[in-house]
Amino acid sequence: MGLNNGMAMNNGLEKIETQKLKEEICHDDSAVPVKAQTLEELHSLQVKKSGPNTPMTGIQQTVFGSEADKNKQQLESISASLASLTRETGPKLVKGDPAKQPETPRVVHASHQHQHQHTPQFSNITDSALKFTHILYNLSPAELYEQAIQNEKGSFITSSGALATLSGAKTGRSPRDKRVVKDETTSEELWWGKGSPNIEMDEKTFLINRERAVDYLCSLEKVYVNDQFLNWDPMNKLKVRIVSARAYHSLFMHNMCIRPTPEELENFGTPDFTIYNAGKFPCNRYTHYMTSSTSIDINLARKEMVILGTQYAGEMKKGLFSLMHYLMPKRQILSLHSGCNMGKDGDVALFFGLSGTGKTTLSTDHNRYLIGDDEHCWSDHGVSNIEGGCYAKCIDLSREKEPDIWNAIKFGTVLENVVFEEHIREVDYTDKSVTENTRAAYPIEYIPNAKIPCVGPHPKNVILLACDAFGVLPPVSKLNLAQTMYHFISGYTALVAGTEDGIKEPTATFSACFGAAFIMFHPTKYAAMLAEKMQKQGATGWLVNTGWSGGSYGSGSRIKLAHTRKIIDAIHSGELLNANYTKTEVFGLEIPNELKGVPSEILDPVNTWPNKDAYKETLLKLGGLFRKNFEVFTNHKIGTDSNLTDEILAAGPNF
């Protein structure tokens, strides 16, 4: 071929030499080759070594000791949390993913017994004593994504960047399987019996379930631990520890609780409350008090919660809410199942309402700051959000109707039980194939107008929302304190239920304090605290009907959202306080005669019904339903007499 002028051949091929280019024509910008000698060594250079704790120097070092000492104390605390009734200490613990561990991990045992532990002594060594339990502590969302995708079937990254996952067979809470330990203290303090959400169990049964959960968690190769906070009020913040078997649960609680700073983790210490989530493992159905393979158990004396037989993450969120419903009122702080927002002038409004009443829609206002969407405390110095995130329903979600929630579903968000397109991973929020209860859990800072920290001054307005499908409640009513207590305890809305022959009619639904499943004391206690705080701070109560007008469902029509928004705006601005009012019959509600932007004829529902006799009949029917529902609350006294109960009863329907 004549290349290289006939240079010597090597293995039958001519040697090829490339022409050396002049430096000014082509600059060689190649970097110095890596020093790594193997692929493993190269990969080790990719990730910087770090941890959840910040480095310390000087005085800090003297107070807290070395980094190794802090790490040891942290693991000892976790080991103590995982101590079993049949072991003197917790399991052998080592921090980090077992796939990345050195051959001889450093082992840490608990140096002290659990506060309430009475440990029997066993001399036999079992196989479990020879294994390590790897603790994945306060992992970041990115790390938890990796863990979920690698280890949990049904975990995928969607097109928006959110993590889609499955909660297993349970796609909602199991209130009938929730148990509370009844002991000398709680037997006197808590609300038990008819109407109460508190189903009793004894401490021995709780310890059996705790042992089952802890043994299951300790049998795993790795366990996820979150140390986080509840309540943005710094004076009443609680430290909670969540021990779980799934990365999905760890990411969910990372989003829903308040996330500590690295400095706060340095001083976290012993938690105030611990959750053992062994939901992948069932309870023993032959154990006393068990009615299924699911059991959610709370022991207020031990400050512990045990979950068996359900992987639905909402059980953890609402279990902690039940805890706050117990602890906060004992500090004279009112715990509330409500939304909360604040105007630019500092006026705070609370929104109560059951599903379908518009609580999320109406409390989300681009002209106001969001303090929180679901759980709050009202103390002597204002309101505070209990949580650090939002848990939004996703069924039929659209960018047009709920742009804030839509935009919050991005990297870091957990999507539960949604259906998505196989190739492009785009979620179909209308698809109910897995469940209608599809959910998104995301940090509250994902909402653009969230107020961080999530605290505010005392509420100016308390808004009770009801979707009245009977069509007899006014679009808005001003309530006195007794009426506020009555309707707060009632927690009314109406659902539209289908019958076999296709006829649909309203069905009244009542949930005490707008969250009956989570309260611990009698509803009257929470209502009395609400009225006391409202009176002290000069807050006004309102009942807003977002349901039907001009007839019941099927004959009337739904009150326009635009009109309801005008009503809410008038409450915020104070315009409604200056209106002239007329009292209705039966319920005795004060309704405004006129309101700018709202047709005057709809303000009194009797005007919109073509058949006045049918209106009166339906009004009396609803009043009877209220009375019947309230019967379960009349036997409870606040104080030494029944005066308060009588006052609340008198504020109900009168006919």
Side-chain angles (χ1 to χ4, degrees):
M1 296 175 60
L3 287 175
N4 298 326
N5 299 319
M7 294 181 68
M9 303 288 289
N10 183 19
N11 296 328
L13 295 175
E14 296 177 347
K15 183 178 180 182
I16 300 176
E17 291 184 356
T18 57
Q19 182 180 359
K20 189 173 182 181
L21 299 175
K22 294 181 180 180
E23 189 171 337
E24 62 270 16
I25 298 175
C26 181
H27 176 68
D28 183 3
D29 60 355
S30 60
V32 178
V34 295
K35 297 180 180 179
Q37 299 299 308
T38 64
L39 280 176
E40 288 73 17
E41 190 177 347
L42 176 61
H43 290 160
S44 72
L45 300 173
Q46 184 180 17
V47 181
K48 289 184 178 180
K49 300 295 182 183
S50 64
N53 302 320
T54 53
M56 298 185 302
T57 56
I59 297 175
Q60 289 180 310
Q61 192 83 357
T62 305
V63 175
F64 298 108
S66 67
E67 193 74 25
D69 288 339
K70 287 184 299 167
N71 187 54
K72 182 179 179 181
Q73 290 170 10
Q74 185 184 80
L75 285 177
E76 283 180 344
S77 175
I78 296 170
S79 180
S81 294
L82 285 166
S84 164
L85 297 179
T86 56
R87 291 188 298 271
E88 286 189 36
T89 66
K92 293 180 181 179
L93 297 184
V94 61
K95 196 170 178 181
D97 191 341
K100 300 177 181 178
Q101 287 299 311
E103 291 184 5
T104 55
R106 185 170 57 82
V107 181
V108 177
H109 289 283
S111 59
H112 57 278
Q113 299 300 321
H114 192 281
Q115 183 180 356
H116 299 277
Q117 197 89 351
H118 300 286
T119 307
Q121 301 297 317
F122 291 85
S123 58
N124 294 332
I125 297 177
T126 63
D127 289 346
S128 63
L130 303 178
K131 69 175 285 294
F132 294 115
T133 299
H134 295 260
I135 299 299
L136 280 67
Y137 180 73
N138 270 42
L139 296 189
S140 68
E143 292 172 306
L144 290 169
Y145 265 51
E146 292 170 0
Q147 291 289 329
I149 291 167
Q150 290 171 7
N151 304 309
E152 297 178 11
K153 190 173 181 179
S155 295
F156 299 89
I157 300 176
T158 64
S159 59
S160 69
L163 180 72
T165 188
L166 296 172
S167 65
K170 301 277 186 172
T171 58
R173 291 182 300 103
S174 304
R176 294 182 180 179
D177 296 310
K178 179 185 171 186
R179 304 281 184 271
V180 181
V181 172
K182 190 173 185 179
D183 54 29
E184 291 182 2
T185 302
T186 56
S187 64
E188 298 296 325
E189 289 184 333
L190 302 191
W191 178 30
W192 304 100
K194 186 178 179 181
S196 168
N198 301 315
I199 305 172
E200 69 176 86
M201 72 186 310
D202 58 27
E203 184 169 21
K204 181 180 179 182
T205 305
F206 174 86
L207 293 177
I208 290 172
N209 282 356
R210 182 192 186 277
E211 183 79 346
R212 191 171 177 91
V214 166
D215 281 347
Y216 168 73
L217 290 166
C218 293
S219 72
L220 301 175
E221 190 175 39
K222 55 188 174 185
V223 170
Y224 301 90
V225 175
N226 295 47
D227 279 348
Q228 295 183 264
F229 297 120
L230 295 179
N231 200 352
W232 285 85
D233 177 2
M235 298 176 62
N236 294 286
K237 184 165 55 177
L238 289 186
K239 299 182 294 183
V240 293
R241 172 169 292 161
I242 303 100
V243 186
S244 54
R246 291 193 63 179
Y248 143 53
H249 290 151
S250 188
L251 180 57
F252 177 90
M253 295 308 283
H254 170 89
N255 290 347
M256 295 309 303
C257 292
I258 300 168
R259 292 157 288 284
T261 64
E263 291 78 13
E264 287 171 328
L265 281 178
E266 301 265 354
N267 303 302
F268 195 86
T270 304
D272 299 313
F273 194 81
T274 303
I275 295 178
Y276 301 96
N277 190 341
K280 293 183 73 173
F281 200 67
C283 67
N284 186 333
R285 290 177 296 158
Y286 291 97
T287 305
H288 192 36
Y289 295 103
M290 298 299 102
T291 54
S292 75
S293 59
T294 298
S295 192
I296 303 101
D297 309 328
I298 297 176
N299 189 325
L300 294 168
R302 289 183 62 93
K303 303 175 182 177
E304 293 179 336
M305 176 179 177
V306 169
I307 298 175
L308 289 163
T310 173
Q311 297 180 65
Y312 181 64
E315 296 288 6
M316 295 183 286
K317 166 187 161 69
K318 291 306 185 184
L320 292 177
F321 192 32
S322 296
L323 170 72
M324 296 296 280
H325 268 310
Y326 174 74
L327 292 179
M328 293 299 106
K330 292 170 75 70
R331 301 183 187 183
Q332 302 307 309
I333 297 171
L334 178 59
S335 49
L336 300 164
H337 190 206
S338 71
C340 183
N341 66 22
M342 185 181 79
K344 292 179 172 59
D345 295 328
D347 59 297
V348 169
L350 295 173
F351 292 82
F352 295 89
L354 302 180
S355 179
T357 59
K359 181 179 73 168
T360 300
T361 300
L362 295 172
S363 61
T364 302
D365 188 331
H366 291 290
N367 296 314
R368 298 173 66 82
Y369 300 108
L370 178 68
I371 293 176
D373 75 326
D374 197 44
E375 302 176 8
H376 293 88
C377 286
W378 188 353
S379 70
D380 288 339
H381 46 274
V383 292
S384 57
N385 190 349
I386 290 173
E387 301 179 299
C390 302
Y391 195 31
K393 291 182 179 178
C394 290
I395 193 67
D396 295 325
L397 179 69
S398 69
R399 189 195 300 270
E400 294 72 31
K401 291 181 180 179
E402 300 286 355
D404 286 344
I405 296 175
W406 180 278
N407 293 327
I409 299 177
K410 56 185 179 181
F411 179 82
T413 297
V414 176
L415 278 174
E416 282 182 329
N417 302 316
V418 298
V419 176
F420 51 85
E421 198 279 331
E422 181 181 15
H423 177 54
I424 60 174
R425 299 286 196 264
E426 188 170 303
V427 178
D428 181 358
Y429 291 108
T430 65
D431 197 315
K432 307 173 185 177
S433 297
V434 179
T435 177
E436 188 170 326
N437 188 35
T438 52
R439 295 271 184 165
Y442 49 85
I444 194 167
E445 57 264 29
Y446 282 15
I447 299 296
N449 61 330
K451 184 183 180 298
I452 308 294
C454 303
V455 297
H458 294 288
K460 184 178 177 181
N461 294 292
V462 174
I463 301 170
L464 312 182
L465 300 169
C467 177
D468 178 30
F470 291 94
V472 294
L473 289 183
V476 60
S477 314
K478 185 173 67 172
L479 306 176
N480 59 36
L481 286 176
Q483 288 175 323
T484 302
M485 285 190 285
Y486 182 88
H487 286 278
F488 177 71
I489 291 173
S490 297
Y492 163 73
T493 196
L495 305 177
V496 177
T499 57
E500 288 185 7
D501 58 2
I503 299 173
K504 296 183 178 180
E505 57 183 19
T507 302
T509 300
F510 298 91
S511 183
C513 307
F514 293 93
F518 322 120
I519 60 177
M520 304 294 276
F521 301 111
H522 193 277
T524 311
K525 180 179 180 70
Y526 300 100
M529 290 184 69
L530 177 63
E532 180 184 359
K533 290 184 181 297
M534 288 177 65
Q535 186 174 37
K536 184 177 180 180
Q537 304 302 331
T540 306
W542 306 90
L543 179 64
V544 174
N545 173 24
T546 62
W548 270 253
S549 178
S552 299
Y553 176 86
S555 59
S557 57
R558 186 95 188 244
I559 297 171
K560 292 181 179 179
L561 178 59
H563 293 158
T564 303
R565 286 199 181 277
K566 288 286 185 183
I567 290 169
I568 298 298
D569 290 343
I571 291 173
H572 291 323
S573 68
E575 178 187 344
L576 263 181
L577 285 175
N578 301 319
N580 294 317
Y581 285 86
T582 302
K583 182 175 287 190
T584 68
E585 56 181 347
V586 180
F587 280 89
L589 299 170
E590 297 279 347
I591 59 174
N593 295 332
E594 59 180 0
L595 176 61
K596 186 177 179 181
V598 180
S600 296
E601 61 270 17
I602 76 167
L603 294 175
D604 189 344
V606 68
N607 296 332
T608 64
W609 280 63
N611 186 332
K612 309 304 179 186
D613 291 336
Y615 165 78
K616 185 64 178 289
E617 181 183 347
T618 308
L619 180 64
L620 291 172
K621 177 182 178 181
L622 182 60
L625 294 172
F626 266 82
R627 279 186 171 184
K628 183 177 181 181
N629 171 71
F630 218 86
E631 289 174 358
V632 73
F633 307 124
T634 57
N635 60 353
H636 187 80
K637 296 179 181 179
I638 295 290
T640 57
D641 53 43
S642 60
N643 290 344
L644 180 61
T645 303
D646 294 341
E647 182 183 353
I648 296 172
L649 271 174
N654 184 16
F655 56 93

